[in-house]
Amino acid sequence: MAQTKLEARSPLMEAAVGFALGAVGGCILGATEDPVDKTLAVMTTVEPLKPVMEEVRIVGALGLGTLIGATALTTAMTSVVAGVILAAAVASVFVATRSCGASHTHSVGLWASAGLAGAFGTALSGATLGVAVEWIVKNYGMVGLLWALSIFSVLKPPLHFVFKFLWKQGEACCTLGSETLARERKQIEITESQQRQRVAVQIEQRILTLEKGGSNSGMEHQTTWANERRQREEIERKKMESEEAEMEQRTIQDWINSVVVKHVDFLAFSGIPMTVVAVVTSGFGVFGYGGHPSVFIVLLVLVAVIAYLLLKSSDFKFWMLVGCMGMLATFVIAMLTLHAGQVVVTTAMKMQAAGQKQSREKISARMNHQSCLEALNAAFFVAKLCQLGLGATVGGPLVRRAAGEVKVIVGAALLAGGLLAVVEVLAPALGEGGKAGALLGVVGAAGVSVGAAAAVAGRWSTWPGTLGTIAGLVIGALGMGKGHIVNIGLQVPVAYVFAMTNPF
């Protein structure tokens, strides 16, 4: 769909409206900062880190970084796609049964129901995956997590064909709901036919009256013809509205199907590159080569080869782009994990040169602790960026499809705020893993609002509107985010880039 400018206003009005809309998206983004940071702080304390620290000796620093990074990104991607698919299913049923194009009220109901389902699905799936990852790590360690991630990645491609088949069957069932429009169209045709027959009878009666020498100027006939004309105009109006509603219904359903197909492909294939990297580097660690320099060389070559093959593809798709980005993010996490351990070694060597000797066991324990700490911090932050960006890829296209910038920005912000409150209330029952996954889902819902605001910034007819929206987004995020300049400074550009991307 071609991008169109927003309704023209005065530059000052555009700046004010843009600032308000941007501030809404920025505030909900900033509101997620503190809860996420607190959850991460709890997860990186000594007790939760013990199961991870015990396993770092097995898979090595690089293996630990790639494994935790791939798991965090897989969790983030899966929860977003689950939310999008649930929202699409609800929207599809709503479109088929309520003929949303017939009235503005139905359109509002469509976006509200789909948004609620998407936000709930993202948070719930995130919490479920978080609990599952936490349980696997505590009971089976990193090797168990490696097996779970590998099995999940292997099962996704065949399952996505099954899901597409089931979606088509569900779509066929939903089309039965179009009988409402069919009945309306049939009723209009019957009414139109009856009106034509009635007019034909009246014409015949009028002809007979004239043949018998009757009057041709009675008020009764003029009134009759005026009523018939009004009825004809009313029938034409209803017929046009029905055709427009049916066309709108078909257009929305086709777009929903396109969204589902793209996201199912994305879920099935985008995680494979980073899973391959995690399996290879962790495999080196399991076989006793976790700290060997060759692991770094193999990792670098593997990332370069996979990225080259994906980017060289003649049929480049959205999942390939995100797959490359996820793999590169996993590589960065692995480098940060390795670097954290090397910093400990460097510090120990400087202390030893200064006469402060430390035991090898103490240095090794500090290396493992720092590596685990860095792996979790980096993986969680990258997963949050991924969740925010994928949410923005939903919000941006919605605004460009004229879904209503106010509805998308404010509605997504309210849903994210409500989910944030629910997660805080249910935190004791969710546990740390479940809470972390649910909060990532909240970030995804906030990303819809931020992405919509970013898309609005590019659609104003004047620069004041664009700059006002950006200023509101940044100021709102910094204000509610308690001045986390580095985090916000990285998240806003990521949200903007993904909002401008059209994967559909």
Side-chain angles (χ1 to χ4, degrees):
M1 181 176 179
Q3 184 172 338
T4 57
K5 294 292 182 182
L6 293 174
E7 182 182 352
R9 297 182 176 94
S10 68
L12 185 61
M13 179 62 70
E14 286 191 358
V17 174
F19 183 85
L21 293 176
V24 172
C27 285
I28 192 59
L29 174 62
T32 62
E33 284 293 306
D34 196 46
V36 169
D37 288 347
K38 287 181 179 178
T39 302
L40 182 59
V42 173
M43 292 177 63
T44 52
T45 53
V46 176
E47 191 64 30
L49 274 182
K50 280 184 178 180
V52 183
M53 289 177 61
E54 292 172 358
E55 299 291 328
V56 70
R57 298 181 181 87
I58 299 176
V59 296
L62 286 173
L64 176 71
T66 55
L67 187 55
I68 292 181
T71 303
L73 288 170
T74 299
T75 300
M77 293 176 182
T78 305
S79 62
V80 169
V81 174
V84 170
I85 291 176
L86 183 58
V90 171
S92 184
V93 173
F94 196 99
V95 168
T97 58
R98 297 292 298 276
S99 57
C100 65
S103 71
H104 177 70
T105 302
H106 287 173
S107 296
V108 173
L110 165 69
W111 298 119
S113 58
L116 182 62
F120 176 77
T122 301
L124 180 61
S125 59
T128 303
L129 290 171
V131 171
V133 170
E134 184 181 21
W135 181 82
I136 291 172
V137 171
K138 285 184 177 179
N139 290 276
Y140 299 100
M142 285 294 155
V143 176
L145 185 61
L146 176 63
W147 276 104
L149 182 63
S150 303
I151 293 172
F152 185 56
S153 299
V154 169
L155 289 178
K156 284 191 295 182
L159 285 178
H160 103 285
F161 291 106
V162 176
F163 180 85
K164 283 185 177 180
F165 174 77
L166 294 176
W167 178 263
K168 288 182 179 179
Q169 299 303 312
E171 182 187 356
C173 294
C174 284
T175 54
L176 298 176
S178 299
E179 292 178 356
T180 303
L181 284 176
R183 284 196 300 268
E184 290 180 0
R185 186 170 57 252
K186 187 175 182 180
Q187 184 61 41
I188 291 172
E189 291 175 353
I190 293 173
T191 304
E192 186 179 22
S193 177
Q194 291 174 347
Q195 202 258 354
R196 287 176 178 173
Q197 292 176 1
R198 190 168 58 250
V199 170
V201 170
Q202 290 173 358
I203 292 174
E204 290 178 359
Q205 291 176 349
R206 184 61 177 160
I207 292 172
L208 291 174
T209 301
L210 291 174
E211 289 177 350
K212 293 178 181 179
S215 174
N216 191 33
S217 59
M219 290 297 297
E220 180 181 351
H221 294 293
Q222 295 180 10
T223 303
T224 300
W225 291 121
N227 289 335
E228 293 296 342
R229 185 170 60 254
R230 283 195 296 269
Q231 290 180 16
R232 179 63 183 173
E233 291 174 353
E234 181 67 17
I235 291 173
E236 290 295 334
R237 185 185 62 81
K238 289 182 178 180
K239 190 175 182 180
M240 185 177 296
E241 288 181 352
S242 178
E243 290 175 353
E244 290 177 354
E246 189 172 2
M247 185 177 297
E248 180 70 14
Q249 181 181 11
R250 190 180 299 111
T251 300
I252 294 177
Q253 187 62 56
D254 290 343
W255 187 67
I256 290 172
N257 293 339
S258 175
V259 170
V260 170
V261 170
K262 295 291 184 182
H263 277 83
V264 171
D265 288 343
F266 163 65
L267 177 62
F269 303 113
S270 62
I272 293 178
M274 57 188 179
T275 302
V276 170
V277 170
V279 169
V280 170
T281 51
S282 300
F284 271 96
V286 170
F287 287 103
Y289 296 96
H292 200 275
S294 61
V295 181
F296 173 74
I297 299 174
V298 171
L299 176 60
L300 185 60
V301 172
L302 186 63
V303 169
V305 169
I306 295 177
Y308 174 76
L309 293 175
L310 290 177
L311 295 175
K312 189 185 176 183
S313 173
S314 57
D315 186 19
F316 191 75
K317 297 180 180 179
F318 178 66
W319 74 260
M320 296 180 180
L321 173 64
V322 181
C324 285
M325 296 175 69
M327 182 179 60
L328 293 175
T330 304
F331 176 77
V332 171
I333 294 169
M335 292 299 99
L336 292 174
T337 304
L338 181 64
H339 177 70
Q342 291 176 342
V343 168
V344 173
V345 174
T346 303
T347 304
M349 291 175 64
K350 290 180 179 179
M351 294 176 64
Q352 193 169 10
Q356 301 178 14
K357 293 186 178 180
Q358 294 180 327
S359 64
R360 184 182 297 271
E361 291 76 13
K362 188 175 181 180
I363 295 174
S364 178
R366 287 180 57 198
M367 284 180 61
N368 293 339
H369 178 266
Q370 199 63 31
S371 296
C372 295
L373 194 64
E374 190 64 37
L376 283 174
N377 278 313
F380 206 79
F381 181 72
V382 170
K384 184 169 66 170
L385 284 180
C386 175
Q387 200 88 335
L388 179 68
L390 293 176
T393 59
V394 176
L398 282 177
V399 169
R400 290 194 293 273
R401 285 191 63 87
E405 57 275 358
V406 176
K407 285 187 292 185
V408 177
I409 295 173
V410 177
L414 290 175
L415 284 173
L419 283 174
L420 193 60
V422 171
V423 171
E424 291 296 331
V425 172
L426 298 178
L430 293 174
E432 294 306 323
K435 184 181 178 182
L439 284 176
L440 287 178
V442 174
V443 173
V448 176
S449 182
V450 177
V456 167
R459 296 179 69 230
W460 290 113
S461 58
T462 62
W463 276 106
T466 299
L467 296 177
T469 307
I470 296 174
L473 184 60
V474 174
I475 293 173
L478 289 176
M480 289 296 293
K482 298 181 180 179
H484 290 186
I485 297 176
V486 176
N487 286 354
I488 300 299
L490 289 173
Q491 291 178 62
V492 171
V494 168
Y496 177 80
V497 170
F498 276 85
M500 295 298 104
T501 302
N502 188 8
F504 312 126

